Structures are given as C-alpha cells and as structure tokens.
Amino acid sequence: MKTTLRGLGVSHGVAIGQVRHMGTAVLEPPAKQIPAGDAKREQGRARQAVDAVAADLNARGHLAGGEAQHVLEAQALMAQDPELMADVERRIAVGSTAERAVYDAFASYRALLAGAGEYLAGRVADLDDVRNRIVARLLGVPMPGVPDSDEPYVLIARDLAPADTALLDPGLVLGFVTEEGGPTSHSAILARALGVPAVVALPGACELGEETVIAVDGSTGEVFVEPDGEERAELARMAAERRTAMEAVSGPGATSDGHKVPLLANIGGPVDVPAAVAAGAEGIGLFRTEFLFLEDSSRAPSEAKQVEVYRQVLEAFPERRVVVRVLDAGADKPLDFLTPSDEPNPALGVRGLRALLDHPEVLRTQLTALSKAAEGLPVYLEVMAPMVADRSDARAFAQACREAGLKAKFGVMVEVPSAALRARSVLQEVEFLSLGTNDLAQYTFAADRQVGAVSRLQDPWQPALLDLVAVAAEAARAEGKGCGVCGEAAADPLLACALTGLGVTSLSMGAASIPYVRAALAKYTLAQCERAAAAARAADGADEARAAAQGVLSGE
C-alpha cells in the first residue's frame, strides 16, 4: 500500500471508494446591531428556526427509528432548551440579530459544557450541530451535512452528528472515516446498526483530498490511500473470506468444542426487532427503554403506553430471553420530570437507578407495565437496573421488583467499578449481572466515551477493564449465576472470544454484529479462548492485549 493510516475500526466490513468530505460548518454570523423596534420580529424568527430544527430532528429520528431515534430526540430537546432560548431572547432585546444571538448563546453554553467535566464535554459536538442547523436556517443557507452525490463514496468528517449518521444511505455511503469520536460514540453505535464500515479517531482524516480513492477496513481500523489493483483485489479477497466464514456458521452461539455462549441483541425499541430476528439473535440482552420517555421530557409515558410497546417486543421472542433495562435517565439523557437540572457533573450524580429511587412512582409504573406486558406470553423476562454501585442499590431494586409483583428474573448493570469489585456481595440480592462495558470503561479510566482525545482509554481491550470483567464473571460463577456483556465490547469478534475465556456467559450486541461474532466463536475451543483472555490480561495496554489474544488464537 502506498500509505496506510490507522484509527479505530468500529463497524465491520471493507469499503473502497472516492473521498467526499462532510459539508463545512456554518460561518460565524456578523455582529451587527438591530433597531430596538425589530427585537420582537427577530425573537419570533429565532423561535421559528429553533422549532423548525427541533421538528426536523424529531422527523429524522422517526424515519431512522431504533437507537438513532432517541439520540435525535435528545438533540431536539437540546435545541429547545428553555434556558438557552431565554438567553437568545435577552441578546436580541439588547440589539443582536437572531442568528448572532443564537450563535453567541450557544457559544456561552458550549463553554459551560466544555468546562463541566469530560462527560458533558463530549456533548459539545451535538450542541455545535444543533447551533449550525439553527443558524443555517436563519441565514437561509444550506444545512451542513452529507454531500450530494450520484455516485457511491467514502464519507470523511471531523465528526458525524447523529442527525447525519442516522439517515446515511448505505447505497451511496460505502463507509465513513472521522478524525474524532471513539468506539462507543453515537456515530460508532449507529454505524454498526446501519452495517456501514467505519473507522473513527483517525488523525489527519480531514486532510485526505476530495476524490482520493481509499480503502477502509472497519474491522482492523486501517485506511489505505490510493490502493492499486492488486491491493484492492487482496482486500476484496479478505472481505470475501470473512463473509464466507460468517455464512458457514448458523444456529446458537458456541465455541468449536460446544461450549454455549448465547448471542443476544441490543435494541432501542420495536423498530429494531426485525433486524435482531433476521440475524438469528437468541433473545434480547439489552432492551433500552429510554426512547419512550424521551418523547416528552416533561412527564413519564402512561402505564398503558408502556404495556403496549413492551408487549410488541416480548411477543417477538417466544421461549427466549428478553432483558429489559429500566429507565436510564440523567447525564446526556436528562428528563425534566426526573433528573436535577443543576448538577455540576450529572454523569457522577443522580442518574439511572439513583434517579428512579428518588421517584419511586416512575419505577413502580414501569415495573408494573412490564409485568402486565408479559402476562400470558411464553417469554423469559428479565429486568435490570442501570448504574448500580453496591449491594444496597441492588437490594432496593430487588425490593421494588417484588413489590410490583414482577414475575421475572431481576439483575443489575455493572457499569461502576465498585459493582464489579463487590459483585459477589451484589449477587446476594439479584439473579444476574450484565456488564455495560461502555460506561464501565468511562468510569474506570475517567475518559468520556464521546471524546476522541481519550479514545485509547475507551478501548475495551484495556487490561484493567478486562480485569474488572474477570472479577465480575468469577463472582457470578461462584454464586451459580449469569454474567453477560451488553456493552459494545461484545460486538468485536476477537474480543468476544476473550470475554468468553474470562467466563462471560452471554454476549449482547447490535444485530449486524451477531453473524461475525458467531463465526469467530465457532473457530476456537473454550480452552483457546481462556488462553487468549489470560494473554490479554497479562499485557500492559490495549494494543498489546489485542495482539496477544490474536497471537494465541492464530497459533503464533
């Protein structure tokens, strides 16, 4: 290859095509004064633009469905934030144009987020996208976004806003590469859902020239610049080999010597169910319920509405497991009726189960709705709580489940290091653990999952993270209970083998990744997976851990 660049591969597959760059951001509006008599008109323009952008984001979410929908609905709420709108109107009242007032108000809020700790700093890209859309509408210029093209291409961007990623056309966008982002960023998660090869956190990606031909390997993270015919053929051969290996294996997940590893799907709502069924998911390992609550941040959905939606999902998986996570609000998913608005660092504050225990009626309604939704269905319902820190949290959740009359297994998410370290204590109260490796990495390394600058610490191959997985899995084995992984780590075929070797009992991922993981597991024995896991844990960094596991499994 003439030039080989390396970032983080976050969505499997190979794409070869010409580079097209994302539309540039909106230019800064001029700072000019308006007559006092124009203030009301300008305030009206600002409100109309904000409402139009929020409506567009909600519409895009409705079209995209699934994971994308609740991400875009959260952006729409951001656009209509009442404090931001009040600031815009104040600036217009003292002479700013609508577009300049929006630009300056968002800049002020942006500075607050950037200085509010790593977790909220990662939301700056989403905020910038909302600002650009509002300002573009006010200026009457095209929205920044995906380029127009009649020919398929590889999209290059500094970062991709959820609104752009959600509606990418896989028929035109062969793959994408970004300079920023991480393995668990919104763009990475949505890329996997779309089945589009993607590489993120690639230094210098935006310097690639327009129409340059590149090859993107979303499995390895490699980007090859101007590959010749022989090199393209080799990449195509490798991709075909992966597809053949994937198609040759079907049925339940298992190692080559018959050790069963159920492969489950992560979903964001009923719209994701068909893809999970088509991929051969053995059930649902993570049913995120936030999408229901983000439709109206001022109040919780009714019990009847919840029953209706939950039952749609449960009916699709007869005689199989469906693991539902109760509402995980707070941090980047604030809800007016539930979460505090004045926390200095919401990621470390009242989120997840903590918020629900402060509002027991919300939790009680959700648990009751789940109980009613499962009535009469031959499904194995399991319910789990997010952001559990210790046995006291687990006990409180288990008690709430019993009081709601829930006939289901109840468990907890392990996203906080304390829950992993004290997993055996936690398991005295509940029946299973589910490791959310995205947040577990974030809290273990103090590294926001949306910030490209710290993406190496979000790499799930980090040996310290594997140590925590091993501790939790060993505790579950000692108690005779299950310990699954439902974070994005499970979607990496090689890492799935290592996780199996660590003692994880099930793996849950985006539906598009299930065939890849099934094929990888079928190549190796449990003993090989265990040796790969041990080699990875003995390494000093993520790259070394990945290489060590690969070396064991390839017989090197």
Side-chain angles (χ1 to χ4, degrees), residues 354-368:
R354 300 168 186 177
L356 291 174
L357 293 178
D358 280 351
H359 296 80
E361 72 287 353
V362 175
L363 177 58
R364 188 183 311 113
T365 298
Q366 186 169 24
L367 294 174
T368 301

Side-chain angles (χ1 to χ4, degrees), residues 6-11 176-180 197-202 216-223:
R6 184 179 288 276
L8 291 174
V10 295
S11 186
F176 66 76
V177 180
T178 66
E179 279 200 10
E180 298 179 356
V199 172
V200 302
L202 179 73
V216 179
D217 190 330
S219 299
T220 66
E222 294 172 302
V223 174

Side-chain angles (χ1 to χ4, degrees), residues 470-488:
V471 168
E474 174 55 36
R477 181 164 48 242
E479 293 296 326
K481 297 179 178 180
C483 177
V485 168
C486 65
E488 293 300 317

Side-chain angles (χ1 to χ4, degrees), residues 5 147 154 185 194 222 273 275 337 356 434 452 506 510-511:
L5 307 174
V154 177
S185 65
L194 287 166
E222 294 172 302
V273 166
F337 69 89
L356 291 174
S434 185
S506 66

Side-chain angles (χ1 to χ4, degrees), residues 124-147:
V124 165
D126 287 359
L127 186 71
D128 287 348
D129 180 58
V130 172
R131 175 204 65 201
N132 290 345
R133 290 173 185 278
I134 297 171
V135 171
R137 185 169 289 275
L138 286 166
L139 291 174
V141 301
M143 292 283 178
V146 178

Side-chain angles (χ1 to χ4, degrees), residues 25 27 53 55 64 68 79 103 159-160 183 188 210 253 298 331 339 349 380 399 415 424 441 466 514 521 525 534:
L27 296 176
V53 166
Y103 187 89
D159 200 359
L160 280 171
E210 192 82 1
S298 65
T339 51
Y380 302 117
Q399 181 61 29
E415 302 159 291
R424 196 157 185 183
L466 299 181
I514 290 176
L521 284 171
T525 65

